[in-house]
Structure formats: C-alpha cells, structure tokens
C-alpha cells in the first residue's frame, strides 16, 4: 500500500517543525528516515500516522486522503510504534498486545480464537511469549519496546511506522527486530538513529531543520559530503570482511 505526504507544514508556537515536506513511499518498500535530533523525524512520523493534522498539505493512502477516513479505518491499515508510549493501566503483556486487535472488534465481530492466535504469534515474533503474563509496570524499557512492536504486529497492518524502534534494545534484540521488519510483506517507514542500520533500507530520506533534504538509495544518499553537512561527522566507508557489506565508521568533524 502506498503512503504519500504532499507539501506538509507543521509549526508550534511559531516554530516551524515541518517545512513543505513531500514524500512517497511505494507499496512494500522499507523506507528509512534519518536526521539529527530535532530535525522533524518524529513530527513527520506522527503526521504520517494520522495523529497530527498538518497546518497545510495532506497525507494520502493509496491516493485517498487520510483526512476523509475514519480513525478506525486508519487503524486497520496503519500501525505506529512510537519512541515513548506508556500506560498507567494495570495490565499484563498479553493484554497490551491484544489492544492491537481493537480496530477489528465489534458487537458483530467479537474476540475469537483467531485473535488469540494472532496475539500469540506477535508475542513469539518479538521473543516475549515467556513474559505474556507479566504485568506491564514490571518490564524493563527494552521489554516494553518489544511489547509495543508486538502490539503493532497484532494489528496486522498494511503500513507499519516505527519511530526509532531499537531504542532501549540490546544489540541482539536490535538485530532480531530489524530482521523481522525486513521480512514483513508490508510498507514500512522506520526512523533510525543508527546510520549503519539505514543501509539496509530500500530508500532513505534525510530530514534537516524540518525539511526533507535528500531522498534515494542509501548508497547514493549517505555520501561523505551529506554526512559532514547534515550530521557534522567524517565517515570512512569500509567493506565487512565476512559478508562484504558496506559499513561506515564515523569521526567528529569538529
């Protein structure tokens, strides 16, 4: 399913957070969004998820305006994993993941064994089956992040938005989650802090000062000049001796 933003502007108290951002993510594409802190990545992700309506511009889902859709219909298509999403409810992990099924439930379509199976599979996908009956407030930050991702998977979205999903995760779970995301047959937009992780995306977009300043394949976008200008670092480009993949090593430009 295609997701597009057209001429998006967003400002708060006179401060421009998004400035004329236009972007199209193709069906089945894994699109990485990168940029320095404060560049507008999270704001753009929330606009794409339908959680914020921009001052001007629009978001399209397969050429249909998101703003003509009901929130329930959007939730059946798009799942969003935020950087920080907390709950004060005294619920267990399984119940938190089951919230992903909410858009599909109604008086005519109550909870079923199929919903149980979907939740169980989502827990297994993020390695949280053994903690399914633990209370949310007893989890570590990394465990909570995996539960958020499981909730999004239980939604069975056609478009998955992830805002720095590997925050709080140890390296093993970072690699596991990113591998899982790459295997999903859905359109993925993923905001990333680790630029080496962005190398595995089909395309990436660079945010800087609220503007989308570059879009394209990682090999064309992540140049020494771009990294120096936008991120303020010097980069050495190396080939991994095991699988010969390109990796980057960074040095301060100061």
């Amino acid at each position: 399913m295609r997701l597009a933003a057209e001429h998006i502007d967003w400002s708060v108290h006179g401060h421009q957070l998004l400035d004329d951002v236009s972007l199209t993510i193709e069906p089945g594409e894994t699109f990485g969004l990168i940029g320095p802190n404060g560049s507008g990545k999270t704001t753009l992700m929330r606009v794409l998820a339908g959680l914020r309506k921009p001052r001007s511009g629009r978001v399209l889902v397969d050429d249909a305006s998101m703003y003509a859709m009901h929130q329930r219909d959007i939730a059946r298509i798009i799942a969003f994993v935020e950087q920080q999403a907390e709950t004060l409810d005294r619920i267990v992990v399984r119940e938190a993941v089951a919230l992903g099924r909410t858009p599909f439930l109604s008086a005519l379509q109550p909870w079923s064994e199929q919903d149980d199976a979907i939740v169980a599979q989502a827990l297994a996908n993020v390695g949280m089956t053994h903690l399914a009956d633990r209370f949310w407030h007893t989890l570590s930050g990394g465990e909570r992040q995996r539960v958020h991702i499981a909730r999004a998977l239980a939604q069975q979205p056609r478009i998955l938005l992830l805002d720095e999903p590997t925050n709080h995760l140890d390296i093993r779970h970072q690699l596991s989650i990113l591998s899982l995301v790459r295997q999903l047959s859905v359109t993925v937009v993923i905001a990333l802090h680790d630029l080496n992780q962005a190398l595995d995306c089909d395309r990436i977009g660079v945010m800087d000062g609220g503007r989308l300043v570059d879009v394209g394949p990682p090999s064309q976008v992540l140049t020494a000049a771009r990294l120096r200008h936008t991120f303020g670092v010097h980069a050495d480009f190396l080939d991994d001796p095991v699988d010969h993949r390109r990796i980057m090593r960074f040095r301060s430009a100061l």
Side-chain angles (χ1 to χ4, degrees):
M1 183 166 266
R2 181 180 294 104
L3 181 66
E6 294 184 347
H7 306 293
I8 299 295
D9 282 342
W10 176 270
S11 61
V12 175
H13 303 305
H15 180 58
Q16 192 85 13
L17 299 181
L18 296 176
D19 184 3
D20 195 28
V21 175
S22 293
L23 172 67
T24 299
I25 299 102
E26 297 297 335
E29 181 176 30
T30 297
F31 187 91
L33 197 62
I34 61 174
N37 291 340
S39 62
K41 299 189 300 298
T42 293
T43 302
L44 179 58
M45 294 288 281
R46 291 181 64 82
V47 169
L48 292 174
L51 299 180
R52 287 180 175 171
K53 188 173 182 180
R55 183 181 63 186
S56 62
R58 61 178 184 164
V59 176
L60 300 175
V61 181
D62 267 358
D63 300 322
S65 173
M66 178 180 285
Y67 309 124
M69 302 170 63
H70 295 293
Q71 281 296 323
R72 184 182 182 89
D73 294 327
I74 294 173
R76 290 180 174 183
I77 297 170
I78 299 174
F80 180 36
V81 178
E82 301 187 69
Q83 287 187 51
Q84 300 289 337
E86 299 299 334
T87 178
L88 298 178
D89 294 333
R90 191 173 176 82
I91 60 176
V92 299
V93 166
R94 193 190 314 277
E95 294 169 333
V97 176
L99 292 174
R101 302 303 302 156
T102 302
F104 304 95
L105 302 177
S106 68
L108 297 178
Q109 189 173 348
W111 190 271
S112 67
E113 291 183 358
Q114 182 181 11
D115 295 302
D116 281 327
I118 291 170
V119 169
Q121 185 60 58
L123 285 165
N125 284 340
V126 300
M128 290 292 287
T129 301
H130 66 296
L131 295 180
D133 296 316
R134 278 271 297 273
F135 279 105
W136 167 266
H137 69 274
T138 68
L139 301 179
S140 68
E143 289 166 342
R144 292 184 183 189
Q145 187 74 343
R146 284 190 280 156
V147 173
H148 289 315
I149 294 170
R151 186 266 307 156
L153 295 177
Q155 223 169 309
Q156 294 190 316
R158 298 177 66 184
I159 299 172
L160 179 61
L161 307 179
L162 303 124
D163 190 6
E164 298 193 10
T166 57
N167 275 4
H168 310 298
L169 299 185
D170 58 49
I171 187 61
R172 178 171 68 91
H173 287 112
Q174 285 185 31
L175 296 174
S176 174
I177 292 299
L178 292 173
S179 175
L180 171 63
V181 168
R182 286 193 292 271
Q183 294 172 29
L184 298 174
S185 56
V186 299
T187 303
V188 176
V189 186
I190 180 169
L192 291 166
H193 181 72
D194 188 324
L195 299 183
N196 276 303
Q197 292 175 352
L199 290 171
D200 289 327
C201 296
D202 298 316
R203 288 190 303 146
I204 57 175
V206 182
M207 294 293 296
D208 192 4
R211 297 184 64 86
L212 186 66
V213 297
D214 208 350
V215 176
S219 60
Q220 296 179 17
V221 172
L222 291 175
T223 64
R226 169 58 62 197
L227 293 166
R228 184 172 60 253
H229 178 76
T230 300
F231 295 92
V233 296
H234 291 298
D236 298 316
F237 299 92
L238 310 171
D239 287 328
D240 189 293
V242 177
D243 57 14
H244 305 291
R245 294 170 60 191
R246 186 191 195 204
I247 57 176
M248 295 177 289
R249 183 178 63 188
F250 302 105
R251 295 173 287 115
S252 173
L254 299 179

